[in-house]
Amino acid sequence: MTSSSLFLLLIIIVAAVFVLGRKRSVDVAQSVGGIRYLHSLPNYYGLLAAAWAAIPGVILLALWSAFQDVIIQNSVFSLLPESYQALSGSRLDLVWAEIYNLQKGIITEASDPAFYPAVEALNNLMTTSTTGRTVLVIALTVLGGVWGWRLIKPEQRARNQFEKVVEALLLASSMIAILTTVGIVFSVVFESIRFFHKVPFTEFVFGIKWSPQIAINAEVAGSSGAFGAIPLFVGTLMIAGIALLVAVPVGLMTAVYLVEYASSRVRSIIKPLLEVLAGIPTVVYGFFAALTMAPKLKGFFEGIGVNGVSSESALAAGLVMGIMIIPFVSSLADDVINAVPRSLRDGSYGLGATKSETVKQVIFPAALPGIVSGVLLAASRAIGETMIVVMAAGLAANLTANPLEAVTTVTVQIATLLVGDQEFDSAKTLAAFALGLMLFFVTLMLNVIALAVVKRFREQYD
């Protein structure tokens, strides 16, 4: 039985336990004088019994699914000759892939006859594991349901107990999000440490040449590579800076107009159009940047006598990226400005201020924490963009301050380094994790700054 079929069966069993638990609460109440003697409504007794059935079975199913593959894989590898057991990394993954494909019938011929006993063992282990999982999960679910059904009594505080179950589930959900974030961070940190064992940290952070493509293996000429990330940082900041120079003024002015000046009719037209702009896929923006914006910019600057304008430039990518995040800035600023108390506006108008003076001297200072927070979030969005940069700015890691030249960013290089079949023991591939760690650190600092600004100025206007 597949995991999805087993999960569907669990849902049916839990639903049956709910119905039986609810019926039992009614029957027990009738035996002592009626429904009014129940502490809680009958539905709560059924829900509590269903929780007793569902939670143990789901936990066992999740744990089984998480550790099944690892245990089976280790058991199969123990049957292989020692020469295979000594392998590590991607080579061991290739061996496992061949054994797995043989077991599934995807391939019929093994590269080594020693794989056939491992295939037979894998087949037996998969069958045993599936059967054992099905029997144990169903048995545990039924036992839990019976236990919850037997606990039903008129004086049982089913509603209070079920509320505690819901609270525990909500806490578990929040912990999953936190643990997922922690897991991502640790995975990136550990791989980055492996990279810095191969490449000095100072060379990575302060180096001015980025050329990892030649660092494939030791047999290739010049395989030491060049892993100076300064050109990537400069390109990222340049494109993000151009995007913010476009998005922040336009987005803020759009928000001010929609909140303070536009009629409800105009707002009902412009607001949906901005939301449509926010829903356009980034690859469409990339096409627009590569096929329209970049050639237009090249023709314009060459027409005024500027030479050496690249067909792929940071300016083209930054301008289109700025257009892309205008709805992001506008929407956040719109919400923040709308949240400014009406009493502040009325007080300003009562003192004789005009609408523009009220916006500049009252509304903007009061909304500043939210606006700064929104701008920093928009900066994080710009820094993390990939598709527009790939199509409009190119892949060349040039260290330049000229926005008319081709540059690349951290996210583009991460995508480039991890495309295709890669050797995860090489500095070339591990460099992607180091770049990801630096990107994570930068976005984290932006979020910390945003929180600090919000906290500082909110105390002034609360």
Side-chain angles (χ1 to χ4, degrees):
M1 181 178 288
T2 62
S3 298
S4 57
S5 300
L6 180 57
F7 189 73
L8 180 61
L9 181 59
L10 286 184
I11 293 176
I12 295 173
I13 295 174
V14 170
V17 170
F18 166 75
V19 173
L20 294 174
R22 188 183 186 283
K23 184 177 182 301
R24 176 174 170 80
S25 68
V26 174
D27 294 341
V28 171
Q30 294 293 348
S31 66
V32 296
I35 296 290
R36 65 181 182 275
Y37 289 98
L38 287 177
H39 174 274
S40 307
L41 293 174
N43 281 345
Y44 284 106
Y45 292 94
L47 288 171
L48 190 59
W52 275 105
I55 294 175
V58 171
I59 291 176
L60 178 60
L61 179 60
L63 292 176
W64 198 291
S65 301
F67 295 104
Q68 170 184 262
D69 292 342
V70 175
I71 295 174
I72 290 177
Q73 188 172 345
N74 291 334
S75 300
V76 171
F77 282 150
S78 65
L79 301 175
L80 295 175
E82 293 184 0
S83 58
Y84 287 107
Q85 298 182 30
L87 297 177
S88 62
S90 59
R91 295 181 180 179
L92 197 62
D93 293 337
L94 291 174
V95 172
W96 171 252
E98 182 174 349
I99 294 173
Y100 182 80
N101 290 333
L102 286 168
Q103 188 265 336
K104 291 293 183 180
I106 299 175
I107 58 176
T108 56
E109 296 276 341
S111 60
D112 190 333
F115 289 169
Y116 290 114
V119 172
E120 183 178 356
L122 175 60
N123 191 51
N124 294 333
L125 287 171
M126 292 289 288
T127 303
T128 303
S129 175
T130 302
T131 304
R133 180 188 63 186
T134 302
V135 172
L136 290 176
V137 170
I138 292 177
L140 187 60
T141 303
V142 171
L143 289 175
V146 171
W147 177 259
W149 184 82
R150 289 177 58 87
L151 289 176
I152 294 176
K153 298 177 182 179
E155 64 273 13
Q156 184 184 17
R157 298 177 176 270
R159 183 179 62 181
N160 296 4
Q161 293 175 9
F162 183 71
E163 288 294 330
K164 291 182 179 179
V165 172
V166 172
E167 182 180 352
L169 290 176
L170 294 175
L171 177 61
S173 300
S174 62
M175 291 303 298
I176 289 174
I178 295 172
L179 292 176
T180 301
T181 304
V182 172
I184 293 173
V185 171
F186 275 104
S187 64
V188 173
V189 168
F190 289 148
E191 297 298 333
S192 299
I193 291 173
R194 292 178 58 195
F195 170 75
F196 290 125
H197 284 160
K198 299 175 180 291
V199 177
F201 178 78
T202 53
E203 177 185 341
F204 175 75
V205 175
F206 300 109
I208 60 173
K209 183 178 180 182
W210 177 264
S211 182
Q213 287 80 4
I214 59 175
I216 300 174
N217 54 56
E219 287 75 22
V220 178
S223 62
S224 59
F227 295 93
I230 289 293
L232 309 187
F233 300 150
V234 171
T236 301
L237 294 177
M238 182 187 299
I239 294 177
I242 294 172
L244 291 177
L245 288 176
V246 173
V248 173
V250 176
L252 289 180
M253 288 187 289
T254 302
V256 170
Y257 173 74
L258 290 177
V259 175
E260 299 297 329
Y261 293 92
S263 64
S264 58
R265 176 182 173 83
V266 174
R267 180 180 173 87
S268 66
I269 296 174
I270 297 179
K271 189 73 172 176
L273 291 177
L274 285 174
E275 293 173 355
V276 169
L277 193 64
I280 297 176
T282 56
V283 66
V284 177
Y285 283 108
F287 278 124
F288 173 71
L291 301 179
T292 303
M293 183 64 73
K296 294 292 184 183
L297 289 175
K298 181 178 175 64
F300 171 76
F301 283 103
E302 287 180 348
I304 62 175
V306 178
N307 297 321
V309 180
S310 174
S311 58
E312 297 176 327
S313 66
L315 183 61
L319 290 176
V320 176
M321 192 184 298
I323 296 172
M324 182 189 69
I325 63 176
I326 283 174
F328 191 83
V329 176
S330 175
S331 178
L332 291 173
D334 189 309
D335 294 338
V336 171
I337 294 173
N338 267 320
V340 174
R342 183 69 192 180
S343 59
L344 293 181
R345 294 178 173 86
D346 294 340
S348 177
Y349 295 147
L351 293 174
T354 63
K355 183 168 288 190
S356 62
E357 290 172 338
T358 300
V359 170
K360 289 185 295 184
Q361 300 179 15
V362 177
I363 295 176
F364 257 28
L368 184 61
I371 292 174
V372 172
S373 178
V375 169
L376 292 178
L377 289 175
S380 299
R381 176 73 178 83
I383 290 173
E385 176 56 38
T386 303
M387 187 57 66
I388 294 175
V389 182
V390 169
M391 301 180 71
L395 301 175
N398 296 322
L399 180 57
T400 178
N402 184 0
L404 300 179
E405 294 184 10
V407 295
T408 190
T409 63
V410 171
T411 54
V412 169
Q413 288 301 310
I414 291 174
T416 303
L417 293 172
L418 296 180
V419 168
D421 296 330
Q422 300 292 342
E423 175 63 57
F424 277 84
D425 290 332
S426 70
K428 174 186 175 182
T429 306
L430 293 175
F433 295 96
L435 291 173
L437 181 63
M438 299 301 294
L439 190 65
F440 172 80
F441 179 77
V442 170
T443 54
L444 178 64
M445 288 298 101
L446 288 175
N447 290 333
V448 170
I449 293 172
L451 290 175
V453 170
V454 169
K455 182 179 179 181
R456 176 179 178 183
F457 286 93
R458 179 172 292 167
E459 292 175 353
Q460 183 175 352
Y461 290 101
D462 277 352

